[in-house]
Amino acid sequence: MRISMDVELKDIPGQLILALNPISELKGNLISVVHHHEKRTPRGTIPVQLVFEIDHEKLNTIISRFEDSGVEVIRSGEERFLEHGAIIMIGHIIHTDIQDTMDKIDSTGFAEVVDLSLSMPRIDKPSSALLKIDAVGKKEMNDAMSLLKTVAKEKDLLVIEPIETELM
Amino acid sequence: MVIGMKTIRASIIGFGAVGQGVAEVLLRKNEYLKNIGLDITVVAVADSRSAAIDPDGVDLAKVLSHKRTEGTVGSEKLTGLEIIKNIDHELVIETTPTDINAGGVGLPNMLAAFEHGRDVVTSNKGPLALKYRELAEIAKENGSNFKFEATVGGAMPIINLTRDILAGNEILSIEGIFNGTCNYILTRMMEEHASYEQMLAESQELGIAETDPTYDVEGIDAASKLVILANSIFDIDATYKDVDVTGITKITPESLMLAQDDGYVIKLIGEVKKDLIRVGPRLVPVGHPLAVGGTLNVASVQTDLAGTVTITGRGAGSIETASAIISDVISIYRT
């Protein structure tokens, strides 16, 4: 499974290797390391974000190895959603049952609506909404967008998707 | 007479903003053209009501001033079609107004030009959006050149870029902004937090939008351009009716603000690839090459070898469109 973890390191040389060694020794696959050297915490430690893949049963061993070597684990969780997307809808969003619209995405199991910003200028005017969607992968994100477009069409809502090609 | 000088007898059929732009550019670039060995002699000019004809070359300055003072190009009563059929010349510059439903006079004009073995350079989208295949085939049968850079993106050289400059590349997709009026309205709505109706009114006042803006704001104009790209670059036998089109009339200022808060702008984006032709409002990340403002047009070409190539430029305007026409003319006859 894929784990995302926030840890904090002491601000002395050689600390990062303490956080990376246990992952490789337990045959984990390191995906990304973000070392926020400029963002010191009030405790004087350096925050680091790790993403890695590891067998489920080895996770606790990693965490205890970290703690033994003074690497503090702030947060650890399974990273399920790798794709993050945004989409805008315009129309009578509330009156066409926004709960139902969101349920359609949430019930897929591979995507979820994680944020909703809504703007309703006047009761007789169309509303605008920005939905943020997380999905398991790229294909699932596309499927979620298509599903949302189908639902929106039935409800006579205009959907504005992101362009496909991000800057290459 | 310079040795190797090639004389091309041309007609300008249609004398609105674009036709007049072509006449002005021919006057302005006369010496430039002679220096590259081209003598473009305009033997006939026609608008919808009148014509000016001279086998030795019409005085373009006189025709321009006649059009401005009298509203007509001259005193002859020949139609554009009659000129194409009956007056001996090599090149028809077809700049009559676009009619997306029936093709307008442009379609019979172009067909007649090819039947008489003449070359055609045009800015008129309608006939190409409706009957690209037929026109391209008849041109080929008659050994005529058929160039239409000015139909898509005005001065922005998208067709010749992909067909000539990027030769050897497979073109995977093209996406971009192909309508300056919509881009202007959306840009201003975002800047002023104003409604669509307010900014449409502003652009009508500035002459950026037509009195009847349907053609632009409903995405019809952008769709016609995509059809031309689909046919000429992707070899898809598509017409305007095959495009999935959504315009910008339902965009709210609130949606633009929500997009902005999340690092996006909303643009009317046209997209064409092998299995898809569509026009609709899309979220474009701020700072992305497609996020150009004002009346600009932009196109990103995805290729297998060169990666992504993006060009931006003025999508309309009399002289700008004439630039695309003159470049097509030169590319046909320059040796």
Side-chain angles (χ1 to χ4, degrees):
Chain A
M1 65 187 200
R2 187 177 284 222
I3 301 295
S4 100
M5 191 181 277
D6 295 345
V7 300
E8 286 179 10
L9 306 177
K10 294 190 190 98
D11 190 14
I12 49 174
Q15 294 299 296
L16 187 58
I17 201 79
L18 292 177
L20 301 184
N21 268 343
I23 297 172
S24 65
E25 282 164 20
L26 290 164
K27 307 254 182 302
N29 179 25
L30 192 62
I31 311 279
S32 87
V33 181
V34 182
H35 192 201
H36 294 283
H37 214 281
E38 73 294 348
K39 273 201 239 160
R40 194 184 296 264
T41 67
R43 295 173 292 285
T45 56
I46 310 284
V48 174
Q49 289 172 322
L50 301 170
V51 178
F52 55 94
E53 284 170 343
I54 192 86
D55 294 337
H56 181 257
E57 64 276 11
K58 292 180 185 165
L59 182 61
N60 284 335
T61 317
I62 287 194
I63 292 173
S64 53
R65 293 266 302 265
F66 280 175
E67 282 165 355
D68 290 348
S69 58
V71 174
E72 201 173 339
V73 178
I74 304 299
R75 186 194 65 87
S76 167
E78 189 181 351
E79 179 86 344
R80 214 164 79 78
F81 295 121
L82 302 173
E83 284 294 315
H84 310 284
I87 196 164
I88 282 187
M89 296 198 304
I90 299 173
H92 294 287
I93 297 166
I94 305 292
H95 295 132
T96 54
D97 197 351
I98 185 141
Q99 185 65 50
D100 167 74
T101 308
M102 296 193 333
D103 282 350
K104 289 260 167 50
I105 301 298
D106 293 348
S107 64
T108 59
F110 56 72
E112 282 176 23
V113 177
V114 294
D115 193 53
L116 168 72
S117 313
L118 190 63
S119 181
M120 299 181 288
R122 278 221 313 267
I123 191 78
D124 56 335
K125 293 254 180 185
S127 312
S128 306
L130 185 133
L131 278 75
K132 287 192 183 167
I133 299 170
D134 281 2
V136 176
K138 272 195 177 7
K139 187 193 162 294
E140 287 79 6
M141 179 60 80
N142 284 337
D143 291 349
M145 293 271 181
S146 310
L147 178 61
L148 200 56
K149 276 198 287 185
T150 313
V151 176
K153 201 169 183 183
E154 288 164 10
K155 299 184 174 185
D156 197 26
L157 303 173
L158 173 64
V159 167
I160 306 178
E161 305 166 79
I163 51 169
E164 272 169 44
T165 49
E166 296 283 318
L167 182 54
M168 286 184 214
Chain B
M1 178 92 182
V2 179
I3 293 170
M5 179 74 77
K6 205 189 266 180
T7 300
I8 312 299
R9 291 168 299 172
S11 63
I12 302 175
I13 309 300
F15 213 62
V18 177
Q20 292 175 46
V22 171
E24 264 176 53
V25 167
L26 285 174
L27 284 171
R28 215 199 276 181
K29 296 286 175 178
N30 186 31
E31 199 159 326
Y32 171 95
L33 291 165
K34 295 241 159 79
N35 283 339
I36 60 168
L38 290 182
D39 172 18
I40 313 284
T41 300
V42 176
V43 295
V45 177
D47 63 9
S48 55
R49 293 187 291 159
S50 63
I53 291 155
D54 186 340
D56 296 325
V58 171
D59 182 346
L60 289 175
K62 219 169 115 191
V63 171
L64 279 166
S65 90
H66 200 279
K67 179 77 183 178
R68 273 159 207 167
T69 52
E70 313 290 324
T72 55
V73 295
S75 48
E76 308 269 356
K77 286 294 164 209
L78 282 182
T79 65
L81 191 58
E82 287 163 342
I83 289 171
I84 292 168
K85 285 182 173 166
N86 301 319
I87 291 181
D88 219 13
H89 60 298
E90 287 77 39
L91 168 67
V92 175
I93 299 175
E94 218 288 342
T95 52
T96 60
T98 285
D99 174 346
I100 194 61
N101 296 313
V105 295
L107 187 59
N109 282 348
M110 290 180 200
L111 291 171
F114 295 139
E115 277 155 17
H116 289 78
R118 313 199 202 291
D119 300 324
V120 171
V121 171
T122 188
S123 59
N124 187 349
K125 289 176 285 288
L128 283 84
L130 292 169
K131 306 245 173 186
Y132 180 89
R133 263 315 136 98
E134 192 181 331
L135 287 164
E137 272 163 25
I138 294 173
K140 203 174 167 196
E141 279 166 25
N142 290 282
S144 295
N145 288 291
F146 182 29
K147 304 273 275 180
F148 41 85
E149 180 65 66
T151 57
V152 184
M156 185 177 76
I158 177 70
I159 294 171
N160 296 334
L161 171 76
T162 42
R163 293 220 295 195
D164 303 335
I165 318 274
L166 289 172
N169 278 273
E170 186 189 343
I171 308 298
L172 306 170
S173 71
I174 299 176
E175 64 179 351
I177 299 173
F178 297 100
N179 185 277
T181 307
C182 289
N183 199 19
Y184 182 83
I185 293 173
L186 291 175
T187 305
R188 292 289 294 147
M189 282 174 71
M190 188 164 238
E191 284 170 357
E192 300 294 333
H193 300 194
S195 71
Y196 163 76
E197 289 78 13
Q198 279 172 298
M199 288 304 129
L200 170 64
E202 181 187 276
S203 43
Q204 283 170 327
E205 234 164 72
L206 293 171
I208 292 168
E210 313 262 346
T211 323
D212 175 5
T214 314
Y215 189 67
D216 289 319
V217 298
E218 295 295 352
I220 302 165
D221 173 67
S224 327
K225 290 165 179 169
L226 288 179
V227 166
I228 296 172
L229 293 177
N231 276 285
S232 62
I233 292 166
F234 294 85
D235 200 27
I236 303 171
D237 187 4
T239 73
Y240 164 68
K241 287 157 192 85
D242 300 315
V243 188
D244 175 5
V245 191
T246 310
I248 63 163
T249 56
K250 286 185 182 161
I251 308 276
T252 57
E254 294 80 22
S255 65
L256 288 158
M257 293 306 111
L258 288 169
Q260 197 173 33
D261 290 346
D262 210 43
Y264 291 102
V265 290
I266 298 178
K267 298 288 179 190
L268 186 71
I269 297 289
E271 189 182 3
V272 53
K273 49 185 168 184
K274 268 197 194 97
D275 50 356
L276 173 126
I277 316 172
R278 64 171 166 177
V279 178
R282 305 285 289 273
L283 295 170
V284 180
V286 171
H288 188 280
L290 291 185
V292 300
T295 58
L296 282 174
N297 282 23
V298 60
S300 251
V301 185
Q302 275 79 44
T303 71
D304 61 341
L305 304 178
T308 304
V309 178
T310 303
I311 47 168
T312 179
R314 294 192 190 161
S318 148
I319 298 294
E320 290 84 350
T321 308
S323 153
I325 290 178
I326 210 76
S327 141
D328 273 349
V329 170
I330 293 171
S331 78
I332 294 176
Y333 302 109
R334 182 170 50 191
T335 39

